[in-house]
Amino acid sequence: MCGICGCGESGSPKKWVPVSQANALLLTPSHSHSHTHRVEESDDQHRLIQMEVDLLSKNNAYAEKNRAYFKAHGIFVLNLVSSPGAGKTTLLVETIKALASHFPISVIEGDQQTEHDAQRIRATGARALQINTGRVCHLEAQGIAQAVAQLGVEDKSFLAIENVGNLVCPSAFDLGEAHKVVVLSVTEGDDKPIKYADMFYAADLMIINKMDLLPYVDFDVARCIAFAKQVNPSIEIITLSTTKGDNFAQWTAWLQNAMQAATHSPEL
Ligand SMILES: Nc1nc2c(ncn2[C@@H]2O[C@H](COP(=O)(O)OP(=O)(O)O)[C@@H](O)[C@H]2O)c(=O)[nH]1
Ligand SMILES: [Mg+2]
């Protein structure tokens, strides 16, 4: 994970407050204990935390500019987050197939390397731009502004942002989206919402994907939902299979409702 993305610092947006476990070491930026740090060490730590805070506030300023732009142009934006392989790109491909006749759809893809996902999206006929983040593990709002301009995202359209696959850093970076949607697949384990709580706290919707594989894995759906609600009582939940299509219509209905609600309210 990158050392500049603000993981664990105070002052970042929508952070779950971690609960100390009996036998676990809880890492927080400011901690009290019996020994003292060398002066240079605490100065370095202070400088690092200050850099992280500066980075996040700069990102937040760009995110607010993006949000104002999206609002002015009637662009509804979702930020899809998950571990690698949970099914974000497959979900977007099927979403485009289902909804492309209703409104224009474009996609910004974030991966450390390759243009594979943008190519998969373009194969549907939708506009897509790939951002390669290199060693960075999340997308940032300034990059989104550049990508929107380059893509020529249409007014009154849906823009999906597929973030870099990991359940940690993208939670701290507002991109100006209307909602973060977290995709969790049943092969990843039902305790992920409580292990990676910041992400599930930041999201408004959790999609539990790959439900067709449920008979073959040890994944308790009720337990997963209980953990997600413990972290974020207002999170909405949809269980589906993207590849088999089971319950997929619930997702497309959610998207259309959220889009209508956002474009008819002062907040987009
Ligand atoms: N069985 C099953 N596989 C799925 C489902 N959704 C996606 N996959 C598969 O999961 C793998 C990773 O999907 P991808 O969309 O690339 O995940 P991403 O890394 O989150 O974008 C691919 O092999 C997909 O075919 C699903 O609902 N059921
Ligand atoms: Mg992908």
Side-chain angles (χ1 to χ4, degrees), residues 206-261:
M206 170 171 76
I207 293 177
I208 303 181
N209 189 31
K210 307 193 188 179
M211 287 295 284
D212 53 294
L213 299 181
L214 198 56
Y216 312 105
V217 293
D218 188 11
F219 185 99
D220 183 334
V221 175
R223 187 166 182 260
C224 179
I225 292 173
F227 281 140
K229 292 274 184 192
Q230 185 182 335
V231 168
N232 178 358
S234 62
I235 196 166
E236 294 184 72
I237 290 140
I238 297 175
T239 58
L240 56 79
S241 166
T242 303
T243 49
K244 301 288 179 209
D246 304 338
N247 234 11
F248 198 78
Q250 204 181 329
W251 151 244
T252 51
W254 183 94
L255 196 162
Q256 286 175 286
N257 286 337
M259 186 167 177
Q260 199 161 24

Side-chain angles (χ1 to χ4, degrees), residues 103-144:
F103 37 75
I105 302 178
S106 38
V107 178
I108 296 170
E109 285 289 346
D111 276 302
Q112 289 195 312
Q113 295 186 47
T114 84
E115 209 181 336
H116 291 179
D117 283 2
Q119 286 164 351
R120 286 168 68 188
I121 299 294
R122 282 190 210 114
T124 68
R127 293 175 194 208
L129 185 80
Q130 183 80 48
I131 298 178
N132 282 147
T133 58
R135 298 184 71 184
V136 177
C137 53
H138 58 271
L139 291 172
E140 294 181 14
Q142 188 176 9
I144 296 302

Side-chain angles (χ1 to χ4, degrees), residues 28-41:
T28 55
S30 56
H31 51 289
S32 57
H33 41 215
S34 52
H35 68 269
T36 52
H37 290 283
R38 285 181 298 123
V39 172
E40 319 89 74
E41 194 183 321

